[in-house]
Amino acid sequence: MFRMFSSQPATPGMTAAEAIQKSAAGEIVVLDIRDGGEVAMSGKAKGALHVPLAALRMKADPSSPECLAELKSGKPIAVYCASGARSSMAAQALGQMGHKDVHNIGGLAHWAQAGGEIIRSEQ
């Protein structure tokens, strides 16, 4: 019932530490699904694509003409948000779109706690 308040991601198929290693090796796509304001305030994981949850279907569905090339690569996808709740919804949606290997790695804090670099915009 109170799972969304857990300090661990809701569906840990891949840990944030594993995602950091795989991202550095170019083996996965890391997807930040938070709103633009959240990314502007706290930055994003190094190497992550920013696709707000509201735009996920348009930018991640392989049948959409606006699907990002990185999301057509067939690579595993690691998704995060602020706490892991929205990324859980995004992981389910990505699966419904046909993406086969999708992992909710929790929130940006999980990435940082595992030693992942946070990139802040210079704007």
Side-chain angles (χ1 to χ4, degrees):
M1 177 171 165
F2 295 103
R3 184 75 173 144
M4 64 186 251
F5 297 110
S6 170
S7 64
Q8 295 299 313
T11 53
M14 176 185 296
T15 67
E18 291 168 328
I20 292 164
Q21 291 175 343
K22 290 178 182 290
S23 177
E27 297 172 359
I28 63 167
V29 176
V30 179
L31 198 57
D32 182 330
I33 56 98
R34 298 173 301 146
D35 293 330
E38 292 174 280
V39 174
M41 285 184 66
S42 59
K44 66 178 181 134
K46 181 179 181 180
L49 295 175
H50 175 233
V51 178
L53 184 59
L56 188 66
R57 179 127 342 247
M58 179 176 56
K59 298 291 186 181
D61 188 338
S63 67
S64 168
E66 294 189 40
C67 183
L68 298 172
E70 296 91 342
L71 297 173
K72 290 183 178 182
S73 69
K75 288 182 181 179
I77 301 171
V79 184
Y80 74 89
C81 61
S83 67
R86 286 176 289 172
S87 53
S88 178
M89 290 186 291
Q92 287 182 340
L94 288 162
Q96 291 169 352
M97 289 179 226
H99 296 281
K100 302 287 185 221
D101 195 0
V102 181
H103 305 274
N104 175 12
I105 60 168
L108 182 61
H110 294 107
W111 178 272
Q113 289 169 354
E117 188 175 346
I118 306 295
I119 303 299
R120 290 185 166 76
S121 175
E122 297 291 325
Q123 298 176 11

